[in-house]
Amino acid sequence: MELNRRTVIAGAAAAGLAATTLGTGSAEAASGGRKPVKESFGKLADGTKIYRWSLENGGTRLKVLNWGGVVQSLEIPDRRGHYANVSLGFDNIDDYVAKTPYFGALIGRYGNRIAKGQFTLDGKSHQLSVNDGVNSLHGGKQGFDKHVWDVEPFTKGTDVGLHLHYTSVDGEMGYPGTLKATVTYTLTRHGDWRIDYEATTDKATVVNLTSHVYWNLAGEGSGTIEDHELRIAASRYTPTDSGLIPTGELAKVAGTPFDFRHAKPIGRDIRDGHEQQVQAKGYDHNWALDKGITAGPEHVATLRDPRSGRTLKIATDQPGLQFYSGNFLDGTLTGTGGRTYRQGDALCLETQHFPDSPNHANFPSTVLRPGQTYRTTTVHTFSA
């Protein structure tokens, strides 16, 4: 029997596992969760101090670094109230700097790929940093995930969270305009994790911010996610070339392994030999969400682990969702639990505009101009 969130959290509390103190009358309980707690997480080679903030609310436990806005850990209970960290990561800053494949990171200025690191805006060509063969991936060699963010903790009503700030100067990684970005992580009293992105620029530029959490709802390091059941509300996806750059086509998912309109195990069709899967070594594609761009977040994807009962629902206002099935995890990385991560041991669900949009007039625009404010929201809802 699937239990609701309140029942699961009550069971966890009875077992002494609850993340928050309920009904104590304390300031923490009144705010809906514990105030963010700051602790040291080591230093960079130049001596810059890295910190980790721990947040708890509604039965969800979240740990965030000021390095790249990284979600270092996210713990939720299963159907029996037992907690597990469902996000891949490292237990030290050195591995994040030297090895990480974007574990839990904030991605910018442009999430996903731009072909040959080039685009033209208002008649002017721009050459970006290339770091994925001849292409630019996730903002280039020194994207937003490789910078220290200013972090401002907050409690507001029953919510707790963090405001993260970063200013990307004009010309950084080849992007025009000084971009001032604020990303807000909020844990609600229901245990939802909400991300609000906001940015302004002083020159016309392109922006596509997202989060790169690697999910395994059975717990990080527990093995394959191929038995996870996934549903994506999308009738079309964007096929790619051999460099994983969209061709510009919006192809129908019907009759292909890319059809997740009804929930199915990820592993059911992953080895069907479809040309798109062969060149990507699995799923690494953008789904064009049926709802398109919306004024507020709408439910677009559901991920469920049948063994634990843990379920993740994602709502967004964005037009696309990148589903990546952990194809390039190769057993060389050791995670927070001391276990190695192999191919298919996690997946990413990145809410976004489409990859390479600046080079495809038929894709929704990612241009941001002075006087405009980039705003987008994604909400993760957990249950068991």
Tab-separated table of all heavy atoms in Angstrom, residues 320-378:
chain	number	residue	atom	x	y	z
A	320	GLY	N	11.355	22.147	-21.804
A	320	GLY	CA	12.096	20.926	-22.068
A	320	GLY	C	12.543	20.208	-20.813
A	320	GLY	O	12.625	20.790	-19.727
A	321	LEU	N	12.851	18.914	-20.980
A	321	LEU	CA	13.383	18.097	-19.894
A	321	LEU	C	14.453	17.180	-20.490
A	321	LEU	O	14.157	16.380	-21.382
A	321	LEU	CB	12.278	17.263	-19.251
A	321	LEU	CG	12.715	16.375	-18.077
A	321	LEU	CD1	12.925	17.215	-16.820
A	321	LEU	CD2	11.677	15.288	-17.802
A	322	GLN	N	15.676	17.311	-19.999
A	322	GLN	CA	16.754	16.428	-20.430
A	322	GLN	C	16.795	15.209	-19.517
A	322	GLN	O	16.991	15.331	-18.312
A	322	GLN	CB	18.104	17.155	-20.368
A	322	GLN	CG	19.276	16.341	-20.884
A	322	GLN	CD	19.415	16.361	-22.396
A	322	GLN	OE1	18.730	17.133	-23.072
A	322	GLN	NE2	20.312	15.551	-22.933
A	323	PHE	N	16.589	14.042	-20.113
A	323	PHE	CA	16.691	12.781	-19.380
A	323	PHE	C	18.009	12.130	-19.770
A	323	PHE	O	18.224	11.771	-20.923
A	323	PHE	CB	15.501	11.879	-19.699
A	323	PHE	CG	15.668	10.437	-19.291
A	323	PHE	CD1	16.357	10.084	-18.137
A	323	PHE	CD2	15.116	9.418	-20.060
A	323	PHE	CE1	16.520	8.755	-17.769
A	323	PHE	CE2	15.257	8.095	-19.703
A	323	PHE	CZ	15.971	7.750	-18.559
A	324	TYR	N	18.892	11.987	-18.783
A	324	TYR	CA	20.209	11.377	-18.973
A	324	TYR	C	20.296	10.160	-18.063
A	324	TYR	O	20.083	10.272	-16.846
A	324	TYR	CB	21.301	12.394	-18.649
A	324	TYR	CG	22.688	11.815	-18.500
A	324	TYR	CD1	23.280	11.113	-19.539
A	324	TYR	CD2	23.410	11.990	-17.322
A	324	TYR	CE1	24.565	10.590	-19.397
A	324	TYR	CE2	24.687	11.471	-17.175
A	324	TYR	CZ	25.259	10.769	-18.225
A	324	TYR	OH	26.522	10.244	-18.081
A	325	SER	N	20.596	8.996	-18.634
A	325	SER	CA	20.541	7.744	-17.874
A	325	SER	C	21.890	7.310	-17.293
A	325	SER	O	22.112	6.116	-17.084
A	325	SER	CB	19.961	6.629	-18.756
A	325	SER	OG	20.669	6.494	-19.974
A	326	GLY	N	22.767	8.282	-17.008
A	326	GLY	CA	24.024	7.963	-16.339
A	326	GLY	C	24.961	7.124	-17.193
A	326	GLY	O	25.710	6.291	-16.684
A	327	ASN	N	24.957	7.387	-18.504
A	327	ASN	CA	25.676	6.541	-19.447
A	327	ASN	C	27.191	6.585	-19.295
A	327	ASN	O	27.884	5.623	-19.660
A	327	ASN	CB	25.325	6.946	-20.885
A	327	ASN	CG	23.837	7.132	-21.081
A	327	ASN	OD1	23.036	6.438	-20.462
A	327	ASN	ND2	23.448	8.081	-21.904
A	328	PHE	N	27.717	7.676	-18.775
A	328	PHE	CA	29.170	7.842	-18.738
A	328	PHE	C	29.760	7.615	-17.347
A	328	PHE	O	30.955	7.848	-17.132
A	328	PHE	CB	29.553	9.221	-19.288
A	328	PHE	CG	29.135	9.396	-20.721
A	328	PHE	CD1	28.044	10.191	-21.058
A	328	PHE	CD2	29.809	8.737	-21.741
A	328	PHE	CE1	27.645	10.331	-22.376
A	328	PHE	CE2	29.415	8.876	-23.074
A	328	PHE	CZ	28.327	9.682	-23.390
A	329	LEU	N	28.952	7.172	-16.402
A	329	LEU	CA	29.496	6.708	-15.132
A	329	LEU	C	30.227	5.392	-15.415
A	329	LEU	O	29.661	4.472	-15.999
A	329	LEU	CB	28.382	6.492	-14.113
A	329	LEU	CG	27.570	7.729	-13.715
A	329	LEU	CD1	26.399	7.329	-12.830
A	329	LEU	CD2	28.453	8.751	-13.014
A	330	ASP	N	31.487	5.303	-14.999
A	330	ASP	CA	32.303	4.177	-15.464
A	330	ASP	C	32.985	3.373	-14.366
A	330	ASP	O	33.908	2.593	-14.626
A	330	ASP	CB	33.374	4.691	-16.434
A	330	ASP	CG	34.301	5.718	-15.795
A	330	ASP	OD1	34.186	5.962	-14.576
A	330	ASP	OD2	35.150	6.277	-16.518
A	331	GLY	N	32.550	3.554	-13.115
A	331	GLY	CA	33.125	2.791	-12.025
A	331	GLY	C	34.399	3.374	-11.444
A	331	GLY	O	34.991	2.776	-10.542
A	332	THR	N	34.810	4.546	-11.921
A	332	THR	CA	36.039	5.168	-11.413
A	332	THR	C	35.784	6.168	-10.298
A	332	THR	O	36.741	6.679	-9.699
A	332	THR	CB	36.802	5.877	-12.547
A	332	THR	OG1	35.983	6.929	-13.076
A	332	THR	CG2	37.146	4.902	-13.667
A	333	LEU	N	34.516	6.481	-10.018
A	333	LEU	CA	34.170	7.476	-9.003
A	333	LEU	C	33.585	6.789	-7.775
A	333	LEU	O	32.716	5.926	-7.897
A	333	LEU	CB	33.163	8.484	-9.555
A	333	LEU	CG	33.585	9.238	-10.819
A	333	LEU	CD1	32.465	10.149	-11.291
A	333	LEU	CD2	34.871	10.030	-10.581
A	334	THR	N	34.078	7.199	-6.604
A	334	THR	CA	33.586	6.664	-5.338
A	334	THR	C	32.764	7.733	-4.636
A	334	THR	O	33.232	8.853	-4.436
A	334	THR	CB	34.740	6.217	-4.429
A	334	THR	OG1	35.497	5.210	-5.110
A	334	THR	CG2	34.214	5.654	-3.118
A	335	GLY	N	31.536	7.389	-4.268
A	335	GLY	CA	30.608	8.375	-3.743
A	335	GLY	C	30.609	8.506	-2.242
A	335	GLY	O	31.457	7.948	-1.538
A	336	THR	N	29.617	9.252	-1.747
A	336	THR	CA	29.535	9.579	-0.324
A	336	THR	C	29.420	8.345	0.556
A	336	THR	O	29.859	8.343	1.703
A	336	THR	CB	28.335	10.499	-0.058
A	336	THR	OG1	27.156	9.920	-0.651
A	336	THR	CG2	28.557	11.875	-0.652
A	337	GLY	N	28.823	7.280	0.028
A	337	GLY	CA	28.648	6.064	0.819
A	337	GLY	C	29.805	5.099	0.711
A	337	GLY	O	29.735	3.984	1.251
A	338	GLY	N	30.877	5.498	0.009
A	338	GLY	CA	32.042	4.642	-0.127
A	338	GLY	C	31.931	3.607	-1.228
A	338	GLY	O	32.796	2.734	-1.354
A	339	ARG	N	30.890	3.698	-2.048
A	339	ARG	CA	30.704	2.750	-3.131
A	339	ARG	C	30.926	3.421	-4.485
A	339	ARG	O	30.709	4.626	-4.638
A	339	ARG	CB	29.302	2.141	-3.063
A	339	ARG	CG	29.124	1.174	-1.905
A	339	ARG	CD	27.673	0.900	-1.579
A	339	ARG	NE	27.025	2.083	-1.003
A	339	ARG	CZ	25.855	2.049	-0.383
A	339	ARG	NH1	25.194	0.908	-0.276
A	339	ARG	NH2	25.333	3.146	0.135
A	340	THR	N	31.345	2.629	-5.479
A	340	THR	CA	31.627	3.181	-6.797
A	340	THR	C	30.345	3.314	-7.602
A	340	THR	O	29.377	2.563	-7.417
A	340	THR	CB	32.620	2.304	-7.568
A	340	THR	OG1	32.096	0.973	-7.667
A	340	THR	CG2	33.964	2.272	-6.873
A	341	TYR	N	30.362	4.281	-8.513
A	341	TYR	CA	29.219	4.537	-9.386
A	341	TYR	C	29.518	3.984	-10.786
A	341	TYR	O	30.490	4.379	-11.426
A	341	TYR	CB	28.949	6.040	-9.483
A	341	TYR	CG	28.595	6.706	-8.170
A	341	TYR	CD1	29.006	8.015	-7.912
A	341	TYR	CD2	27.837	6.060	-7.200
A	341	TYR	CE1	28.665	8.651	-6.728
A	341	TYR	CE2	27.496	6.689	-6.009
A	341	TYR	CZ	27.915	7.986	-5.781
A	341	TYR	OH	27.574	8.621	-4.602
A	342	ARG	N	28.655	3.092	-11.244
A	342	ARG	CA	28.815	2.474	-12.544
A	342	ARG	C	27.760	2.993	-13.514
A	342	ARG	O	26.801	3.647	-13.122
A	342	ARG	CB	28.710	0.952	-12.430
A	342	ARG	CG	29.699	0.314	-11.453
A	342	ARG	CD	29.298	-1.129	-11.187
A	342	ARG	NE	27.938	-1.216	-10.656
A	342	ARG	CZ	27.274	-2.347	-10.484
A	342	ARG	NH1	27.831	-3.496	-10.807
A	342	ARG	NH2	26.043	-2.349	-10.000
A	343	GLN	N	27.938	2.645	-14.785
A	343	GLN	CA	26.985	3.062	-15.808
A	343	GLN	C	25.564	2.675	-15.405
A	343	GLN	O	25.297	1.545	-15.014
A	343	GLN	CB	27.338	2.409	-17.145
A	343	GLN	CG	26.466	2.891	-18.303
A	343	GLN	CD	26.835	2.223	-19.611
A	343	GLN	OE1	26.938	1.002	-19.690
A	343	GLN	NE2	27.049	3.023	-20.648
A	344	GLY	N	24.658	3.658	-15.483
A	344	GLY	CA	23.260	3.402	-15.171
A	344	GLY	C	22.925	3.364	-13.695
A	344	GLY	O	21.837	2.948	-13.320
A	345	ASP	N	23.842	3.838	-12.841
A	345	ASP	CA	23.579	3.832	-11.394
A	345	ASP	C	22.818	5.065	-10.929
A	345	ASP	O	22.529	5.196	-9.739
A	345	ASP	CB	24.892	3.719	-10.615
A	345	ASP	CG	25.378	2.283	-10.498
A	345	ASP	OD1	24.684	1.379	-10.988
A	345	ASP	OD2	26.460	2.058	-9.923
A	346	ALA	N	22.491	5.957	-11.844
A	346	ALA	CA	21.715	7.154	-11.509
A	346	ALA	C	21.209	7.765	-12.812
A	346	ALA	O	21.640	7.394	-13.908
A	346	ALA	CB	22.551	8.158	-10.731
A	347	LEU	N	20.293	8.703	-12.678
A	347	LEU	CA	19.791	9.430	-13.838
A	347	LEU	C	19.587	10.888	-13.490
A	347	LEU	O	19.449	11.249	-12.313
A	347	LEU	CB	18.463	8.845	-14.321
A	347	LEU	CG	17.236	9.085	-13.434
A	347	LEU	CD1	15.986	9.222	-14.285
A	347	LEU	CD2	17.060	7.940	-12.453
A	348	CYS	N	19.576	11.726	-14.515
A	348	CYS	CA	19.318	13.156	-14.344
A	348	CYS	C	18.042	13.524	-15.085
A	348	CYS	O	17.755	12.984	-16.156
A	348	CYS	CB	20.473	13.978	-14.897
A	348	CYS	SG	22.067	13.643	-14.128
A	349	LEU	N	17.296	14.451	-14.508
A	349	LEU	CA	16.089	15.004	-15.113
A	349	LEU	C	16.218	16.523	-15.024
A	349	LEU	O	15.838	17.129	-14.024
A	349	LEU	CB	14.834	14.498	-14.397
A	349	LEU	CG	14.589	12.983	-14.482
A	349	LEU	CD1	13.479	12.558	-13.514
A	349	LEU	CD2	14.237	12.557	-15.903
A	350	GLU	N	16.767	17.124	-16.064
A	350	GLU	CA	17.139	18.542	-16.044
A	350	GLU	C	16.078	19.374	-16.751
A	350	GLU	O	15.901	19.270	-17.960
A	350	GLU	CB	18.495	18.726	-16.726
A	350	GLU	CG	19.606	17.860	-16.147
A	350	GLU	CD	20.715	17.593	-17.147
A	350	GLU	OE1	21.327	18.569	-17.621
A	350	GLU	OE2	20.947	16.412	-17.482
A	351	THR	N	15.366	20.198	-16.002
A	351	THR	CA	14.380	21.095	-16.598
A	351	THR	C	15.118	22.223	-17.304
A	351	THR	O	16.059	22.797	-16.757
A	351	THR	CB	13.440	21.645	-15.525
A	351	THR	OG1	14.204	22.295	-14.504
A	351	THR	CG2	12.632	20.513	-14.886
A	352	GLN	N	14.676	22.579	-18.506
A	352	GLN	CA	15.505	23.465	-19.319
A	352	GLN	C	14.755	23.987	-20.543
A	352	GLN	O	13.659	23.523	-20.871
A	352	GLN	CB	16.717	22.687	-19.825
A	352	GLN	CG	16.319	21.471	-20.677
A	352	GLN	CD	17.487	20.710	-21.254
A	352	GLN	OE1	18.619	20.815	-20.804
A	352	GLN	NE2	17.222	19.929	-22.289
A	353	HIS	N	15.392	24.959	-21.233
A	353	HIS	CA	15.099	25.209	-22.633
A	353	HIS	C	15.913	24.192	-23.434
A	353	HIS	O	16.755	23.484	-22.884
A	353	HIS	CB	15.457	26.634	-23.014
A	353	HIS	CG	14.313	27.599	-22.849
A	353	HIS	ND1	13.666	27.780	-21.651
A	353	HIS	CD2	13.697	28.417	-23.746
A	353	HIS	CE1	12.700	28.682	-21.800
A	353	HIS	NE2	12.687	29.065	-23.062
A	354	PHE	N	15.662	24.121	-24.733
A	354	PHE	CA	16.276	23.061	-25.521
A	354	PHE	C	17.778	23.292	-25.705
A	354	PHE	O	18.234	24.434	-25.777
A	354	PHE	CB	15.619	22.965	-26.902
A	354	PHE	CG	14.139	22.693	-26.880
A	354	PHE	CD1	13.399	22.749	-28.047
A	354	PHE	CD2	13.470	22.383	-25.701
A	354	PHE	CE1	12.041	22.490	-28.057
A	354	PHE	CE2	12.107	22.128	-25.684
A	354	PHE	CZ	11.391	22.193	-26.872
A	355	PRO	N	18.560	22.222	-25.809
A	355	PRO	CA	19.986	22.362	-26.130
A	355	PRO	C	20.167	23.066	-27.480
A	355	PRO	O	19.342	22.910	-28.387
A	355	PRO	CB	20.483	20.910	-26.214
A	355	PRO	CG	19.457	20.108	-25.484
A	355	PRO	CD	18.154	20.821	-25.665
A	356	ASP	N	21.237	23.841	-27.590
A	356	ASP	CA	21.622	24.507	-28.846
A	356	ASP	C	20.537	25.412	-29.406
A	356	ASP	O	20.498	25.685	-30.605
A	356	ASP	CB	22.028	23.464	-29.898
A	356	ASP	CG	22.916	24.043	-31.004
A	356	ASP	OD1	23.718	24.944	-30.701
A	356	ASP	OD2	22.799	23.586	-32.161
A	357	SER	N	19.654	25.903	-28.537
A	357	SER	CA	18.565	26.777	-28.999
A	357	SER	C	19.051	28.014	-29.759
A	357	SER	O	18.384	28.431	-30.723
A	357	SER	CB	17.699	27.212	-27.808
A	357	SER	OG	16.908	26.147	-27.348
A	358	PRO	N	20.189	28.638	-29.371
A	358	PRO	CA	20.614	29.827	-30.111
A	358	PRO	C	20.869	29.565	-31.594
A	358	PRO	O	20.921	30.509	-32.386
A	358	PRO	CB	21.902	30.236	-29.392
A	358	PRO	CG	21.747	29.706	-28.012
A	358	PRO	CD	21.045	28.401	-28.192
A	359	ASN	N	21.037	28.290	-31.975
A	359	ASN	CA	21.317	27.953	-33.369
A	359	ASN	C	20.130	27.301	-34.083
A	359	ASN	O	20.292	26.776	-35.189
A	359	ASN	CB	22.533	27.025	-33.431
A	359	ASN	CG	23.805	27.718	-32.973
A	359	ASN	OD1	24.104	28.827	-33.398
A	359	ASN	ND2	24.543	27.078	-32.078
A	360	HIS	N	18.948	27.357	-33.459
A	360	HIS	CA	17.754	26.767	-34.069
A	360	HIS	C	16.586	27.739	-33.913
A	360	HIS	O	16.019	27.870	-32.823
A	360	HIS	CB	17.409	25.428	-33.417
A	360	HIS	CG	18.454	24.373	-33.609
A	360	HIS	ND1	18.531	23.594	-34.746
A	360	HIS	CD2	19.481	23.995	-32.807
A	360	HIS	CE1	19.564	22.769	-34.644
A	360	HIS	NE2	20.151	22.990	-33.475
A	361	ALA	N	16.217	28.370	-34.988
A	361	ALA	CA	15.159	29.376	-34.938
A	361	ALA	C	13.809	28.786	-34.555
A	361	ALA	O	12.932	29.502	-34.062
A	361	ALA	CB	15.055	30.079	-36.290
A	362	ASN	N	13.627	27.474	-34.774
A	362	ASN	CA	12.345	26.840	-34.452
A	362	ASN	C	12.250	26.395	-32.997
A	362	ASN	O	11.214	25.907	-32.565
A	362	ASN	CB	12.106	25.633	-35.359
A	362	ASN	CG	13.164	24.549	-35.203
A	362	ASN	OD1	14.346	24.860	-35.108
A	362	ASN	ND2	12.758	23.291	-35.196
A	363	PHE	N	13.321	26.558	-32.217
A	363	PHE	CA	13.305	26.236	-30.788
A	363	PHE	C	12.924	27.482	-29.991
A	363	PHE	O	13.204	28.606	-30.421
A	363	PHE	CB	14.677	25.753	-30.330
A	363	PHE	CG	15.055	24.365	-30.778
A	363	PHE	CD1	14.206	23.594	-31.552
A	363	PHE	CD2	16.284	23.818	-30.418
A	363	PHE	CE1	14.557	22.310	-31.969
A	363	PHE	CE2	16.655	22.551	-30.820
A	363	PHE	CZ	15.788	21.789	-31.598
A	364	PRO	N	12.309	27.311	-28.821
A	364	PRO	CA	12.006	28.476	-27.979
A	364	PRO	C	13.268	29.278	-27.685
A	364	PRO	O	14.335	28.712	-27.419
A	364	PRO	CB	11.426	27.845	-26.705
A	364	PRO	CG	10.880	26.530	-27.152
A	364	PRO	CD	11.812	26.049	-28.227
A	365	SER	N	13.147	30.590	-27.716
A	365	SER	CA	14.300	31.469	-27.566
A	365	SER	C	14.854	31.472	-26.144
A	365	SER	O	14.101	31.404	-25.167
A	365	SER	CB	13.923	32.900	-27.960
A	365	SER	OG	14.997	33.800	-27.705
A	366	THR	N	16.179	31.568	-26.028
A	366	THR	CA	16.839	31.698	-24.725
A	366	THR	C	17.516	33.054	-24.572
A	366	THR	O	18.364	33.233	-23.699
A	366	THR	CB	17.887	30.583	-24.544
A	366	THR	OG1	18.809	30.622	-25.637
A	366	THR	CG2	17.230	29.217	-24.480
A	367	VAL	N	17.134	34.007	-25.404
A	367	VAL	CA	17.754	35.342	-25.361
A	367	VAL	C	17.210	36.145	-24.182
A	367	VAL	O	16.003	36.188	-23.941
A	367	VAL	CB	17.505	36.096	-26.685
A	367	VAL	CG1	18.026	37.533	-26.593
A	367	VAL	CG2	18.155	35.358	-27.849
A	368	LEU	N	18.123	36.781	-23.462
A	368	LEU	CA	17.772	37.703	-22.378
A	368	LEU	C	18.369	39.051	-22.693
A	368	LEU	O	19.562	39.156	-23.020
A	368	LEU	CB	18.313	37.192	-21.035
A	368	LEU	CG	18.009	38.068	-19.818
A	368	LEU	CD1	16.519	38.037	-19.486
A	368	LEU	CD2	18.841	37.638	-18.611
A	369	ARG	N	17.565	40.112	-22.571
A	369	ARG	CA	18.020	41.458	-22.915
A	369	ARG	C	17.994	42.372	-21.688
A	369	ARG	O	17.287	42.084	-20.706
A	369	ARG	CB	17.139	42.042	-24.031
A	369	ARG	CG	17.207	41.232	-25.318
A	369	ARG	CD	16.440	41.868	-26.462
A	369	ARG	NE	16.523	41.048	-27.674
A	369	ARG	CZ	17.546	41.059	-28.515
A	369	ARG	NH1	18.568	41.888	-28.292
A	369	ARG	NH2	17.552	40.282	-29.588
A	370	PRO	N	18.765	43.467	-21.738
A	370	PRO	CA	18.732	44.433	-20.631
A	370	PRO	C	17.312	44.914	-20.375
A	370	PRO	O	16.520	45.124	-21.308
A	370	PRO	CB	19.620	45.573	-21.145
A	370	PRO	CG	20.547	44.924	-22.120
A	370	PRO	CD	19.736	43.854	-22.789
A	371	GLY	N	16.961	45.017	-19.103
A	371	GLY	CA	15.621	45.432	-18.725
A	371	GLY	C	14.681	44.270	-18.512
A	371	GLY	O	13.603	44.440	-17.922
A	372	GLN	N	15.065	43.089	-18.984
A	372	GLN	CA	14.277	41.890	-18.753
A	372	GLN	C	14.833	41.121	-17.563
A	372	GLN	O	15.999	41.274	-17.205
A	372	GLN	CB	14.292	40.978	-19.990
A	372	GLN	CG	13.701	41.590	-21.236
A	372	GLN	CD	13.830	40.670	-22.448
A	372	GLN	OE1	14.724	39.827	-22.517
A	372	GLN	NE2	12.931	40.826	-23.412
A	373	THR	N	14.002	40.292	-16.952
A	373	THR	CA	14.455	39.415	-15.865
A	373	THR	C	14.132	37.978	-16.225
A	373	THR	O	12.984	37.653	-16.543
A	373	THR	CB	13.778	39.780	-14.532
A	373	THR	OG1	14.108	41.133	-14.181
A	373	THR	CG2	14.261	38.855	-13.418
A	374	TYR	N	15.167	37.168	-16.211
A	374	TYR	CA	15.003	35.727	-16.428
A	374	TYR	C	14.463	35.117	-15.149
A	374	TYR	O	15.052	35.274	-14.080
A	374	TYR	CB	16.364	35.136	-16.783
A	374	TYR	CG	16.452	33.625	-16.847
A	374	TYR	CD1	16.343	32.958	-18.063
A	374	TYR	CD2	16.703	32.865	-15.701
A	374	TYR	CE1	16.461	31.578	-18.142
A	374	TYR	CE2	16.817	31.486	-15.764
A	374	TYR	CZ	16.700	30.847	-16.988
A	374	TYR	OH	16.826	29.489	-17.054
A	375	ARG	N	13.338	34.430	-15.236
A	375	ARG	CA	12.763	33.763	-14.071
A	375	ARG	C	12.235	32.396	-14.486
A	375	ARG	O	11.558	32.269	-15.509
A	375	ARG	CB	11.610	34.571	-13.463
A	375	ARG	CG	12.023	35.848	-12.751
A	375	ARG	CD	10.850	36.447	-11.977
A	375	ARG	NE	11.230	37.667	-11.281
A	375	ARG	CZ	11.068	38.887	-11.791
A	375	ARG	NH1	10.529	39.029	-13.001
A	375	ARG	NH2	11.437	39.954	-11.102
A	376	THR	N	12.535	31.412	-13.702
A	376	THR	CA	11.982	30.081	-13.927
A	376	THR	C	11.980	29.313	-12.614
A	376	THR	O	12.792	29.597	-11.721
A	376	THR	CB	12.771	29.317	-15.009
A	376	THR	OG1	12.230	28.012	-15.169
A	376	THR	CG2	14.231	29.195	-14.637
A	377	THR	N	11.065	28.361	-12.492
A	377	THR	CA	10.896	27.615	-11.244
A	377	THR	C	10.721	26.128	-11.528
A	377	THR	O	10.004	25.749	-12.460
A	377	THR	CB	9.661	28.126	-10.469
A	377	THR	OG1	9.859	29.503	-10.111
A	377	THR	CG2	9.430	27.303	-9.208
A	378	THR	N	11.363	25.315	-10.716
A	378	THR	CA	11.186	23.868	-10.742
A	378	THR	C	10.902	23.386	-9.327
A	378	THR	O	11.560	23.824	-8.385
A	378	THR	CB	12.429	23.159	-11.294
A	378	THR	OG1	12.603	23.546	-12.684
A	378	THR	CG2	12.294	21.647	-11.217
